Amino acid sequence: MDDQKLTMLVTAFIVITALWEVVSGRTRDGRKNQQDWRMAFLATFMMVAVQRPLVLLLLTLGLSTLIPGSAGSLAWLEQAYFWPTLIVFFCVEEFIHGSFHLFAHRRRPNNRVLQWVQAFYKMNHRPHHMSGGLDNKGQLTVTQTFVNGWAWWLIMPNYTFQLLCLYLGLVEVFVIGTAFKGLWAAHTHVNWNYDLYFHNHRWAWVRKTMWALAHILVFPTQHHHHHARGPNSARNVTSTLAIYDWLVFGTLAIETSKPNVYGWRQKEPEANSVLKRYFCWDVRPYVPKATTPASAAATSQSSA
């Protein structure tokens, strides 16, 4: 029941802000198209109805078999030390999320196995960075919050960590922590950039205060630039705590204007088909071709 309330709370925020985007004209002129709407409905439905229940089911079956009686075993921790437990839960979950999100964006690793793993992450994360159509007019909107490929919920360990804590009895910690993260993440996807008012304020102390806050928390324009086409796409990889981007990952980017172009370049089939966009299985485009001795020799001869 608590998890259902959480889902309804975040969903209500997304619905209200989506209606605001429509009424205020933030979805017109190619900034959002029918494929974006369809993808939002499909991805959100699959997350709520299939992916999250599947992860929780696998966790429950696995832990109840391997460690009988483990369900609810940490409930005492929540009762005795609620706020410290909530803070630790939130910080650990956000760190895991940022680490693997960065892995999906960072440069290709040298290890061949990791290249294939990263390719699978990239393939499943690609739909999240598609906005609008082939005309490059698309912009970020709130319904993009939970858009990803078919396996994203299954391969991101922070989601498993969330549900593991729920299984172990940290129910209120899970509900409050996940609700705050979901609402904050949704608010950074809305097609608004209210933080630019403060970044560009005529008073220096207001600009400096906003600059300092953007080192601690993620604000809309920071995440909008993560969805920009260009080098900032691999920056601002955290969802709420920008301090990780700043001090741990070295990926913090603070801009004082909106991105010029949003989204990764689309291929025509995925631009015209939600099913091809969501149910993509081919990771080969994201993996470099293996270098054979013959090709290596040819390369060395041509460069000599």
Side-chain angles (χ1 to χ4, degrees):
M1 182 63 182
D2 290 323
D3 192 32
Q4 293 177 354
K5 290 180 180 178
L6 160 67
T7 302
M8 291 177 62
L9 176 64
V10 178
T11 302
F13 177 85
I14 292 177
V15 169
I16 292 171
T17 50
L19 289 173
W20 173 82
E21 288 177 338
V22 173
V23 172
S24 63
R26 305 296 174 100
T27 60
R28 299 173 188 168
D29 303 321
R31 283 175 280 188
K32 189 180 187 72
N33 61 18
Q34 290 185 354
Q35 299 289 48
D36 293 329
W37 285 109
R38 292 169 182 167
M39 190 66 186
F41 284 117
L42 174 61
T44 304
F45 171 79
M46 292 295 290
M47 178 191 71
V48 174
V50 178
Q51 294 169 315
R52 291 182 70 192
L54 178 60
V55 173
L56 185 58
L57 175 63
L58 293 176
L59 271 174
T60 303
L61 292 176
L63 289 176
S64 61
T65 302
L66 296 175
I67 313 176
S70 58
S73 58
L74 292 184
W76 66 271
L77 188 63
E78 177 179 271
Q79 296 173 1
Y81 308 101
F82 176 78
W83 287 107
T85 304
L86 176 61
I87 292 171
V88 171
F89 166 84
F90 194 86
C91 292
V92 170
E93 195 278 344
E94 178 72 345
F95 178 78
I96 298 172
H97 174 264
S99 299
F100 281 82
H101 187 195
L102 176 59
F103 177 66
H105 279 273
R106 68 183 304 174
R107 292 181 178 180
R108 186 179 292 123
N110 294 325
N111 183 276
R112 189 67 177 171
V113 174
L114 287 179
Q115 288 176 1
W116 280 93
V117 174
Q118 187 191 55
F120 194 69
Y121 273 80
K122 285 183 179 291
M123 180 192 72
N124 276 279
H125 191 46
R126 182 174 174 80
H128 189 66
H129 284 268
M130 293 183 184
S131 302
L134 297 173
D135 56 8
N136 296 328
K137 294 181 179 179
Q139 293 187 9
L140 186 61
T141 60
V142 68
T143 55
Q144 197 73 5
T145 304
F146 298 120
V147 170
N148 269 298
W150 61 273
W152 188 248
W153 261 89
L154 308 178
I155 62 177
M156 283 295 282
N158 64 299
Y159 300 138
T160 303
F161 174 77
Q162 292 176 4
L163 296 175
L164 173 62
C165 291
L166 177 64
Y167 170 82
L168 293 176
L170 304 180
V171 179
E172 290 187 27
V173 164
F174 167 83
V175 170
I176 295 176
T178 311
F180 179 80
K181 175 164 182 171
L183 288 171
W184 195 270
H187 120 275
T188 61
H189 284 81
V190 180
N191 196 336
W192 56 21
N193 299 88
Y194 65 83
D195 49 322
L196 290 181
Y197 171 79
F198 302 102
H199 276 301
N200 296 288
H201 200 277
R202 62 191 181 93
W203 293 342
W205 71 268
V206 174
R207 298 195 302 270
K208 291 179 180 179
T209 301
M210 187 67 238
W211 184 266
L213 288 173
H215 283 72
I216 307 301
L217 294 171
V218 178
F219 289 91
T221 302
Q222 287 163 258
H223 197 70
H224 279 226
H225 273 276
H226 174 71
H227 281 259
R229 185 174 303 171
N232 278 345
S233 178
R235 295 184 175 273
N236 298 333
V237 296
T238 54
S239 179
T240 54
L241 298 179
I243 194 169
Y244 285 141
D245 281 304
W246 174 33
L247 296 179
V248 180
F249 305 133
T251 52
L252 181 65
I254 302 175
E255 304 288 351
T256 56
S257 61
K258 288 184 63 172
N260 294 321
V261 180
Y262 285 81
W264 293 355
R265 297 184 187 277
Q266 300 183 45
K267 300 173 184 177
E268 189 169 350
E270 62 191 0
N272 297 320
S273 172
V274 168
L275 295 180
K276 289 184 178 179
R277 185 182 297 189
Y278 184 80
F279 291 105
C280 180
W281 295 85
D282 190 5
V283 300
R284 291 174 297 178
Y286 309 100
V287 181
K289 294 181 180 179
T291 303
T292 63
S295 62
T299 302
S300 62
Q301 289 177 3
S302 63
S303 61

